[in-house]
Amino acid sequence: MDHQPPPFFKRGPAPLALLSFYVTLSVALLVVDARLQTLEVLRQALSLFTHPVQQFAHLPAQLLDNATGYFVSLSRLQDENVQLKRARLENVTTLLRTQQLEVENERLRKLLAVKERQQASGQLAQILYAARDPYSRRIVIDKGQQDKVVAGQPIIDDAGVVGQVTRVFPFVAEVTLITDKEQAVPVQIVRTGQRSVVFGLGNGQLELRFLPANADVQNGDMLVTSGLDGIFLPGFPVAKVVHIERDTSYSFARIFCMPLAGVENFSEVMVLDPRPAVALPAQLASEAAGREAKPPVRAGQARKKRLRKD
């Protein structure tokens, strides 16, 4: 009997066919994720399995940082302690006067029946790592859905505004920094009270836009949140003006700013609680409901009504 020996290698599909199949599948997944947002649940489910792997990968770096911090000399810690005590004694008079002014301000606001300012509250979070996208300014913190973090919450540090939560996973959350190209924050100039919007440039700087070329803006002006976006409480420091370009041929000036917070060099941040929704007055709410319930008048019907009146 004639027996053919088995093939030495099994030949599967052609390499070009496999390449075409995987490229088509990748493009289809990208289009479906971008248009329909159907892969968000799958992405969150995968994060449950990748989170322990990421923690294990960062373990050597964390051990090295802890060892470095442990071997800090005692004399350095004593010097820092002495400096902090001296600074506290130097600023104790200003602190006491500030506390007294806050109490007096609260009493006067009650006398004038002015609405009390909203108090800022939140929880501390630690920076795990920066996002792997080189064209964006994003970081990942160790708080997620289990810590009741939701998209849109503001992020600050001890110097000012850092960014905003844009994506939440079960154990971690992604934060977009204010220096990202897609991030904008409504601000107010402290010296003049002018309101505008500051945009990220993607290179560690910010740009204050929509101000005329002859606007009263100077180098060194401080920018704080205006609170008009309903996300950030008013009064948080954002940036400082560092360079102004004025050209009479353009309607607006180019104003460059530097963020006050440690956007690129921090390790711990504060995740502020979301601001409560502001209820509209009864009159405005009824007018808005009436506009939504009233059907739109078509152009032909309006023209017929005018002809009948004529």
Side-chain angles (χ1 to χ4, degrees):
M1 297 178 64
D2 187 12
H3 295 283
Q4 290 186 353
F8 191 76
F9 293 107
K10 283 189 175 182
R11 293 182 56 85
L16 183 59
L18 287 176
L19 177 62
S20 303
F21 172 74
Y22 287 124
V23 169
T24 305
L25 180 62
S26 301
V27 173
L29 291 176
L30 288 174
V31 172
V32 170
D33 189 26
R35 295 295 182 87
L36 304 179
Q37 301 291 333
T38 56
L39 300 180
E40 188 66 26
V41 178
L42 178 61
R43 188 181 294 111
Q44 293 187 2
L46 290 176
S47 67
L48 294 174
F49 300 97
T50 59
H51 181 71
V53 178
Q54 293 175 350
Q55 292 291 331
F56 182 76
H58 287 86
L59 185 60
Q62 293 178 356
L63 292 176
L64 181 61
D65 293 340
N66 294 335
T68 304
Y70 179 79
F71 289 107
V72 173
S73 62
L74 182 61
S75 60
R76 179 180 175 184
L77 293 178
Q78 290 177 348
D79 293 340
E80 291 181 357
N81 192 17
V82 171
Q83 293 178 1
L84 289 175
K85 288 183 178 180
R86 185 180 300 127
R88 180 177 177 274
L89 292 176
E90 292 175 353
N91 298 328
V92 66
T93 56
T94 305
L95 179 61
L96 293 176
R97 288 177 58 86
T98 303
Q99 292 176 351
Q100 189 270 337
L101 290 175
E102 287 182 353
V103 174
E104 183 178 357
N105 187 19
E106 183 179 357
R107 181 175 59 84
L108 292 176
R109 293 177 70 89
K110 290 181 179 179
L111 290 176
L112 297 174
V114 179
K115 184 179 179 181
E116 295 184 1
R117 293 182 177 179
Q118 298 179 359
Q119 300 294 328
S121 59
Q123 56 182 329
L124 288 175
Q126 187 174 5
I127 307 300
L128 296 179
Y129 51 87
R132 286 172 286 275
D133 188 358
Y135 301 101
S136 64
R137 292 293 182 267
R138 299 181 182 183
I139 56 175
V140 177
I141 60 177
D142 63 347
K143 302 294 182 181
Q145 293 176 349
Q146 64 173 359
D147 302 294
K148 299 181 180 180
V149 175
V150 297
Q153 287 187 241
I155 306 295
I156 64 171
D157 66 357
D158 58 345
V161 176
V162 173
Q164 186 179 357
V165 176
T166 52
R167 184 180 294 179
V168 184
F169 299 99
F171 300 104
V172 298
E174 189 178 74
V175 177
T176 300
L177 304 178
I178 59 175
T179 54
D180 189 84
K181 290 183 178 180
E182 298 182 357
Q183 191 72 6
V185 180
V187 295
Q188 186 175 15
I189 302 176
V190 176
R191 184 176 58 85
T192 62
Q194 286 182 302
R195 289 189 294 268
S196 184
V197 182
V198 67
F199 291 81
L201 296 178
N203 57 358
Q205 288 189 337
L206 305 169
E207 183 179 0
L208 185 64
R209 301 178 184 175
F210 309 126
L211 285 180
N214 59 351
D216 185 11
V217 184
Q218 301 176 3
N219 289 332
D221 280 347
M222 303 293 294
L223 308 180
V224 298
T225 53
S226 62
L228 297 181
D229 55 355
I231 298 175
F232 292 95
L233 291 172
F236 283 114
V238 178
K240 180 176 66 175
V241 177
V242 294
H243 181 63
I244 303 174
E245 294 181 2
R246 304 181 189 269
D247 193 344
T248 55
S249 59
Y250 295 97
S251 301
F252 299 104
R254 297 205 65 185
I255 305 172
F256 298 95
C257 312
M258 289 296 295
L260 295 175
V263 177
E264 303 292 342
N265 50 358
F266 48 76
S267 59
E268 293 182 349
V269 294
M270 171 75 76
V271 183
L272 297 181
D273 295 335
R275 294 180 62 181
V278 179
L280 292 174
Q283 183 178 359
L284 293 178
S286 60
E287 291 180 358
R291 292 195 191 98
E292 294 178 356
K294 186 177 180 181
V297 180
R298 296 181 179 178
Q301 296 177 355
R303 191 179 299 109
K304 289 180 180 180
K305 290 181 180 180
R306 288 197 297 268
L307 291 176
R308 289 175 184 175
K309 291 181 180 180
D310 295 339

